[in-house]
Amino acid sequence: MEYSGADNLDARDESLRMVSAVPVGNEPVSDEELRPHVLEGFIGQPRLKAQLQLFLDAARKRDVAPDHILMAGPPGLGKTTLAMIVANELGVPIRVTSGPAIQHAGDLASILSSLDVGEVLFIDEIHRLPRAAEELLYIAMEDFRVDVMVGKGPGASSIPLTLPRFTVIGATTREGMLPSPLRARFGFTAHLDFYPHEELEKLIERSASVLGLPLEDQAARQLSLRSRGTPRIANRLLRRVRDWAIVHDLDSVGADDVKDALALYQIDSEGLDRLDIAVLNAIVRQFNGGPVGLNNLSAMVGEEAETVETVCEPYLVREGFLIRTPKGRLATAKAWEHLGLKPDDGTPDDVSKLF
Ligand code: ADP
């Protein structure tokens, strides 16, 4: 399974968007306070939770480090959170690294050779490990051994070092990019999916209570509809709503407060932002619904083709606003309707009414 563009997101473009699924600014820090620490606190994904629960219970009963786990799915859906929960539930420490942070096989060898028994090694973006590190990881995962090179040049030799049993948790937004020998070394693959509105609503209620923000049910509902199925976006929007509540001295936050606060950031009722609307508007207005080629489209909205393709389109396609065809992009009836138009209307309404 591959998630279009999820990994190619240009941080520069993404950081300008409130609806980015990757962390922006100091979010890695503020994400921490909202992370659940036990499986029970992890909202939604019921099947996956049941699978993990069984997996953890069995490991605890057998009293051994469990098999290696792969977490696969788009950014912002809880892969890192689950890895931390697994370590916490097992009562073992967790070491965190990522594919791009490991530049040489030696970097990985030194992490592996310092692991304690039972420790969890979390490797984010595991599909971006350099090839040599990947090969070292195969052996370490299978045989709990790492070959350490001693000396240089023709006199160099490798000394096998036995490792304690540990658990690798790999996270990837591009499962399809993982070589099959690596994939085969994971005993369990957790597939994370976008969250339905009802689950996001619960997640938002939980986060609001952690932040001490009195949020009415309808307010949580309105936030969930704008969060693009993604907990990270839900939590970010919630923090902006909290700003609004603080500045306006609100005792409780209602649906209209959410609408007003997010309209300020130009996020509409379906979670579309200015760029999404610009894309739909260009297809509908300039090209009468399409088909229109990516380059023409990106020129119309003044964005790089890659940004339109990887940052904007996946959500528009997923939500049925846009179709990619061999001849170009087509706006669906839902897109026309969302802009307040019918296909034969000609001129669209004022789009500022959407926010
Ligand atoms: P990923 O590693 O998939 O990019 P994270 O695990 O970092 O995503 O999650 C992003 C944010 O969303 C974190 O603040 C986390 O607390 C929150 N989050 C994600 N999934 C859930 C969930 N199922 N329940 C509660 N909070 C969640």
Side-chain angles (χ1 to χ4, degrees):
M1 200 186 306
E2 197 152 318
Y3 304 95
S4 53
D7 185 56
N8 278 339
L9 301 179
D10 180 334
R12 197 188 30 156
D13 299 313
E14 271 293 84
S15 64
L16 301 174
R17 299 189 88 202
M18 279 283 286
V19 290
S20 156
V22 296
V24 299
N26 69 345
E27 266 179 4
V29 179
S30 41
D31 271 356
E32 282 312 311
E33 69 176 324
L34 296 179
R35 258 190 228 294
H37 299 290
V38 289
L39 202 50
E40 217 184 303
F42 190 84
I43 313 278
Q45 313 275 353
R47 183 189 304 272
L48 170 56
K49 270 169 68 176
Q51 292 167 344
L52 260 182
Q53 189 68 61
L54 184 75
F55 188 82
L56 291 173
D57 287 346
R60 273 189 292 245
K61 275 200 161 168
R62 290 169 56 225
D63 199 19
V64 289
D67 282 354
H68 307 297
I69 305 172
L70 183 64
M71 309 274 183
L77 298 195
K79 299 183 293 298
T80 308
T81 306
L82 273 181
M84 304 216 162
I85 287 176
V86 166
N88 189 43
E89 293 262 356
L90 292 171
V92 297
I94 180 166
R95 193 86 59 97
V96 177
T97 186
S98 73
I102 292 174
Q103 293 187 342
H104 310 284
D107 300 340
L108 183 62
S110 74
I111 296 175
L112 288 168
S113 53
S114 64
L115 289 175
D116 282 330
V117 61
E119 194 161 352
V120 167
L121 172 61
F122 177 61
I123 309 180
D124 202 5
E125 298 187 74
I126 194 166
H127 57 277
R128 292 177 63 187
L129 273 180
R131 176 48 60 97
E134 219 171 66
E135 281 166 12
L136 188 113
L137 189 61
Y138 298 157
I139 302 174
M141 288 170 78
E142 187 137 306
D143 300 335
F144 296 96
R145 192 191 87 214
V146 63
D147 293 324
V148 182
M149 291 303 290
V150 182
K152 281 194 173 144
S157 59
S158 83
I159 302 180
L161 182 75
T162 304
L163 303 173
R165 269 197 82 96
F166 63 95
T167 301
V168 171
I169 303 185
T172 182
T173 49
R174 294 286 190 96
E175 191 185 350
M177 271 174 69
L178 281 191
S180 26
L182 181 55
R183 224 178 315 166
R185 279 163 175 85
F186 290 99
F188 174 56
T189 298
H191 288 111
L192 282 104
D193 246 321
F194 290 103
Y195 292 62
H197 295 143
E198 304 71 48
E199 287 179 358
L200 278 183
E201 235 176 290
K202 286 195 201 127
L203 189 143
I204 289 162
E205 280 161 8
R206 177 191 170 276
S207 296
S209 101
V210 174
L211 295 175
L213 183 70
L215 197 68
E216 291 168 16
D217 292 351
Q218 281 308 312
R221 172 86 187 144
Q222 288 302 322
L223 264 168
S224 73
L225 297 176
R226 289 161 171 77
S227 300
R228 300 166 83 107
T230 305
R232 175 171 290 122
I233 299 177
N235 283 342
R236 179 184 305 127
L237 299 187
L238 182 66
R239 283 193 287 262
R240 298 295 72 84
V241 167
R242 176 181 58 173
D243 296 345
W244 177 273
I246 291 172
V247 169
H248 290 87
D249 269 330
L250 301 180
D251 293 329
S252 87
V253 177
D256 286 340
D257 298 311
V258 169
K259 289 181 192 167
D260 292 345
L262 298 184
L264 191 62
Y265 290 97
Q266 296 188 290
I267 295 165
D268 78 6
S269 58
E270 297 262 359
L272 305 189
D273 74 352
R274 231 165 50 88
L275 180 58
D276 300 316
I277 293 293
V279 165
L280 292 184
N281 209 30
I283 302 176
V284 166
R285 194 205 307 242
Q286 261 81 28
F287 301 96
N288 196 30
V292 48
L294 178 61
N295 289 333
N296 277 340
L297 183 57
S298 44
M300 287 308 305
V301 299
E303 270 296 347
E304 301 275 323
E306 195 192 340
T307 306
V308 172
E309 186 175 28
T310 62
V311 170
C312 193
E313 285 185 350
Y315 182 67
L316 294 177
V317 170
R318 178 158 62 85
E319 291 301 307
F321 288 106
L322 185 139
I323 303 171
R324 289 175 178 159
T325 71
K327 287 192 178 155
R329 276 64 176 161
L330 274 175
T332 61
K334 183 176 174 183
W336 284 83
E337 202 178 306
H338 191 65
L339 296 175
L341 290 167
K342 290 193 208 80
D344 35 53
D345 265 4
T347 1
D349 283 1
D350 176 7
V351 288
S352 67
K353 277 194 259 157
L354 293 166
F355 301 110

